[in-house]
Amino acid sequence: MTFSPQQARVGAPAPTLAWPTRIDETRALAWLRKRQSGIEDARAQLYHHPMLAAAYEVRKRDESATAHAIVDLVGGRAYGAEPWDHITFVPIAEAKATARATNGATHAGGAGASGTVGSESPAAGTVTDPVRVLDDARAERAARDLVRSFLLRGRRLGAPGKLHPLREPFLFGKPNWWLTGTREDKPVEIILDGLTGRHYALRA
C-alpha cells in the first residue's frame, strides 16, 4: 500500500529543504497511544508537505512593516506566519534519513507489540510526499492576496501601502507524521502535524 495525499502534477520542482520537526517520533507515538488506548502495531512515518514561503515589506508614506505568508502548494490556501529567519532549514533527504534511522533503532530495540516502529515493514505500508499542485506564480499570487487582505481589513499592518518582496520566495517541506496501527482489529490512520500538533484522522 502506498499513501499519497495528492497525485496531480504541475511539473514544478519539489522542495529540497524541510522545516525541522518540533514533534519527534517518540512524542508522535506517545500522542497516538494516549489518544487511541489499546492500539497495537503503532507506527510513525515522516513525510513532508510542499509549501511556499514569501515575505513582503509594506511601505507606507511615513513608515514600513513586514508581512510573512506561507502557501499550501497542494490545497492552495495561504496563511499568515511569524518570521522564519531564525529557523535552520535542513535537507529533506537528511530529515528522512534521520527518521528512518530512528525507526530502525526503535524496531531493533523491541518496543513491544503495542509500539513497534519500522518504516521498512511491508505491513506498515509506505508514505510518499504529496505532489504539489500550484506552480510558483499561483502560489505567490495567493501570498500577495493574503497580505493585501490584511491591509484592506486594517489588521496588523494598518492602512494599505505598497507591497514589495523582502526576498525571493522559497520552497520547503512541512513535516507531518503518518501514524498507523490497529485498535480492536480496526485500522487506525492519523496525520499529525509535526510543527503544530494538529491532527487529521483518516481512519480512527
Side-chain angles (χ1 to χ4, degrees), residues 83-142:
W84 48 77
D85 297 340
H86 63 290
I87 301 297
T88 302
F89 290 82
V90 299
I92 284 182
E94 178 182 317
K96 290 183 176 181
T98 300
R100 282 195 299 269
T102 303
N103 287 343
T106 306
H107 183 65
S114 63
T116 305
V117 178
S119 61
E120 302 304 320
S121 170
T126 58
V127 60
T128 59
D129 295 346
V131 178
R132 59 181 297 185
V133 174
L134 268 67
D135 58 23
D136 289 357
R138 290 172 60 195
E140 288 181 49
R141 281 199 299 272

Side-chain angles (χ1 to χ4, degrees), residues 4-5 10-11 20 48 57 62 85 89 125-126 136 140 167 180 187 191:
S4 183
V10 297
H48 292 87
E57 181 183 28
D62 300 321
D85 297 340
F89 290 82
T126 58
D136 289 357
E140 288 181 49
R167 59 185 67 87
T180 61
I191 295 173

Side-chain angles (χ1 to χ4, degrees), residues 122-169:
T126 58
V127 60
T128 59
D129 295 346
V131 178
R132 59 181 297 185
V133 174
L134 268 67
D135 58 23
D136 289 357
R138 290 172 60 195
E140 288 181 49
R141 281 199 299 272
R144 285 177 173 271
D145 288 347
L146 177 72
V147 173
R148 288 194 180 100
S149 72
F150 283 162
L151 300 178
L152 292 175
R153 293 197 304 264
R155 292 184 180 179
R156 296 178 63 184
L157 303 177
K162 294 184 177 181
L163 207 61
H164 300 270
L166 276 176
R167 59 185 67 87
E168 286 292 321

Side-chain angles (χ1 to χ4, degrees), residues 172-187:
F172 73 93
K174 180 177 70 65
N176 289 336
W177 290 102
W178 183 40
L179 305 176
T180 61
T182 58
R183 185 170 181 264
E184 298 179 351
D185 296 325
K186 295 180 180 180

